[in-house]
Amino acid sequence: MLKKAVITSAGKGSRMKHITSLLPKALLPLFVTENGDKVTRPVIDLIMDSLRKVGVEKFCIVVGKNGMLLMQYLFERTPTFVFQEIPKGFGDAVLRAEDFSGNDPFFVHADDGVLTKGYESLKSLFDELSPDAVLFVRKVENPKRYGIVEVQDKGYYSGHKLYKVINAEEKPQNPKSNLALAAVYIFKPSIFGALKKVKIEDDKELELTYGIHNLIVDGKEVYALEMRQDEFWLNVGDPKSYLDSLNYSFKML
């Protein structure tokens, strides 16, 4: 049963400059409507609420050096906290949650955004096919800036384009597609072994994309759903995206 989620919140937040030197991205607010009024809630609340709605009961939060405020905010909800003292990449952050996962499958979710919808479809696909990984992808204009997947078209699932992933690359110089990874995934524990196989130079980061690539090399099945036009990733990770997300959440949430 898919009851666990890992939320990574140990990054530097360098694109947001001064505010995230003090305040974790997970605590940046978006608008929601409560009792007919617009109020603000930290994005971590929206992430956790979305995951609870699809059955998640246990959370692991990966925090870094500026994680104390986030830990204080979430303390009464009793999540598991693990530490990534030096930000060595998304994949390294996920590895810190290996003991939390145990032998269970789990969501992985970045702290710098939240989907407006789609979590149920991702979970249903995982429950139905039981692959080693399922993930969301979206079309982007500049694929050299993202983790990119090469895919085989498998038709449709729950209104989404369905793909089997046959390769994954991080910021490729010659992208084989314009389908970028969105920061929401479901994995079996096999992802940990796949990440441990990656050889990283001392000055490089361990990207989650490398682990997904190794799953495929090892013959594991990886599937992806493409985000629909009515699904949005409300991103708080850079100023322009954050402004767009604030405007969208004020009008629509």
Side-chain angles (χ1 to χ4, degrees):
M1 295 292 289
L2 187 55
K3 299 292 185 181
K4 295 181 178 179
V6 176
I7 302 173
T8 60
S9 187
K12 296 178 181 178
S14 55
R15 289 178 296 172
M16 290 293 282
K17 296 293 184 181
H18 308 291
I19 185 64
T20 47
S21 67
L22 298 172
L23 190 71
K25 289 178 292 185
L27 293 179
L28 293 174
L30 290 170
F31 289 102
V32 297
T33 302
E34 291 183 359
N35 301 318
D37 296 321
K38 287 294 180 183
V39 299
T40 55
R41 291 187 68 191
V43 67
I44 189 70
D45 286 357
L46 306 187
I47 294 169
M48 294 177 76
D49 286 352
S50 296
L51 293 172
R52 284 195 186 96
K53 288 176 182 177
V54 294
V56 172
E57 298 175 354
K58 297 181 179 180
F59 291 89
C60 176
I61 315 295
V62 185
V63 296
K65 289 183 177 180
N66 68 338
M68 187 57 67
L69 285 175
L70 181 61
M71 293 175 68
Q72 291 174 341
Y73 182 73
L74 296 176
F75 180 76
E76 293 183 356
R77 302 183 217 183
T78 64
T80 297
F81 292 105
V82 297
F83 294 90
Q84 186 191 33
E85 295 181 359
I86 301 173
K88 293 184 177 180
F90 198 180
D92 182 75
V94 171
L95 269 178
R96 305 302 173 109
E98 184 173 10
D99 287 345
F100 167 80
S101 167
N103 295 317
D104 300 321
F106 58 100
F107 275 94
V108 168
H109 203 300
D111 72 333
D112 62 355
V114 63
L115 289 168
T116 56
K117 61 178 75 172
Y119 295 95
E120 182 60 51
S121 297
L122 201 70
K123 180 181 182 295
S124 295
L125 179 63
F126 179 82
D127 289 342
E128 187 171 322
L129 299 182
S130 192
D132 279 71
V134 296
L135 40 100
F136 267 119
V137 294
R138 59 191 178 94
K139 289 188 169 115
V140 296
E141 294 182 358
N142 186 0
K144 292 183 180 181
R145 294 177 51 195
Y146 301 92
I148 296 297
V149 294
E150 186 179 358
V151 299
Q152 293 176 344
D153 193 328
K154 293 295 181 179
Y156 285 85
Y157 182 88
S158 187
H160 300 82
K161 287 282 299 207
L162 172 64
Y163 302 105
K164 184 174 183 180
V165 181
I166 60 174
N167 192 24
E169 297 178 284
E170 182 67 21
K171 299 181 177 65
Q173 288 301 306
N174 298 295
K176 296 181 176 64
S177 83
N178 65 341
L179 291 173
L181 295 167
V184 183
Y185 316 78
I186 300 173
F187 291 109
K188 288 183 177 177
S190 53
I191 187 61
F192 298 119
L195 285 166
K196 290 176 183 177
K197 288 182 179 180
V198 179
K199 298 187 184 302
I200 296 292
E201 298 175 14
D202 290 341
D203 60 338
K204 302 295 184 182
E205 294 187 346
L206 175 56
E207 300 292 351
L208 187 55
T209 314
Y210 306 154
I212 296 170
H213 172 80
N214 278 349
L215 285 177
I216 298 165
V217 170
D218 289 344
K220 308 295 187 182
E221 288 195 325
V222 178
Y223 285 88
L225 295 178
E226 184 178 340
M227 289 173 59
R228 300 189 312 233
Q229 290 186 345
D230 64 337
E231 294 168 342
F232 299 93
W233 175 249
L234 300 183
N235 185 3
V236 303
D238 65 84
K240 175 62 167 61
S241 297
Y242 187 34
L243 178 60
D244 291 342
S245 296
L246 281 170
N247 289 333
Y248 180 94
S249 66
F250 188 83
K251 294 175 183 177
M252 305 299 292
L253 299 187

